[in-house]
Amino acid sequence: PEANRDRFDKRLRSLVGATDLVVLPEMFTTGSTMNAGPWAETMEGPTLDWMRALAHRLKADITGSGIIRESGLFYNRLLWAKSDGQHFTYDKKHLFRMSGEHEVYAAGQNLLTVGVNDWRVRPFICYDLRFPELYRRLALGGAQVLFVPAAFTSYTGPRHWLPPPSAARRRSFPAVPCVCTPPPWPSPSTSMCATSSWTTAACLTAG
């Protein structure tokens, strides 16, 4: 985890004052794993402190998921740090049964909405993508941008995110104005964004 945090720190340091939101992948400190015990942190662990410090330094929000141990359970938890020191969390709601994720991690119960400038942003994690009614309901409730950090590979990622067709397009559009995800590994250090008109959206910066 420390080496991965250092790697991201070096790649992101040039973004000071240049972006409003940085979205890191699912389980960005460890990579996707069902071996949670050796890698789990508490909410008092180093990753959240690192994210808060980085958010303050970049003057931007930063978010991504990691393995959190709480009350004897493991969570695939998205951490969201703001530049003023606030933080928010979202626990992955839909666990990927085909990999046994439901046998290792506890499912989340609550949703999260975060304001980023004038955007109302709802974050999810990976397999949450597969449940379209959730997205439609959120769009009707006023969500404008959905972020879905994921641990897709270079093979599976494009099949979910790039047209034609894609899981994101089939499930979310035209209900949600903008859906964004970090790229599959390995790929360039940019995010893929899709809107209802399938044009590039400025989801990481605000003019």
Side-chain angles (χ1 to χ4, degrees), residues 132 135-140 143-144 171-178 196:
Y135 290 79
R136 294 192 183 101
R137 194 163 64 245
L138 294 175
L140 292 173
Q144 296 171 301
R171 284 161 175 75
S172 303
F173 306 120
V176 180
C178 183
S196 54

Side-chain angles (χ1 to χ4, degrees), residues 48-121:
L48 181 57
D49 286 343
W50 172 81
M51 292 175 72
R52 284 170 163 167
L54 182 61
H56 179 74
R57 192 164 77 246
L58 297 182
K59 299 178 175 60
D61 289 24
I62 181 166
T63 186
S65 92
I67 304 171
I68 298 295
R69 181 191 290 109
E70 188 173 87
S71 301
L73 299 174
F74 297 118
Y75 293 90
N76 184 348
R77 177 168 293 176
L78 180 135
L79 306 172
W80 190 299
K82 285 189 160 287
S83 59
D84 63 2
Q86 293 185 85
H87 77 271
F88 308 96
T89 65
Y90 164 74
D91 295 330
K92 186 174 183 179
K93 187 175 181 66
H94 298 98
L95 302 173
F96 191 55
R97 298 179 67 87
M98 283 68 82
S99 69
E101 189 177 24
H102 66 296
E103 297 176 348
V104 178
Y105 298 94
Q109 303 299 318
N110 300 314
L111 300 175
L112 174 67
T113 301
V114 183
V116 180
N117 293 337
D118 294 329
W119 294 92
R120 291 188 299 279
V121 180

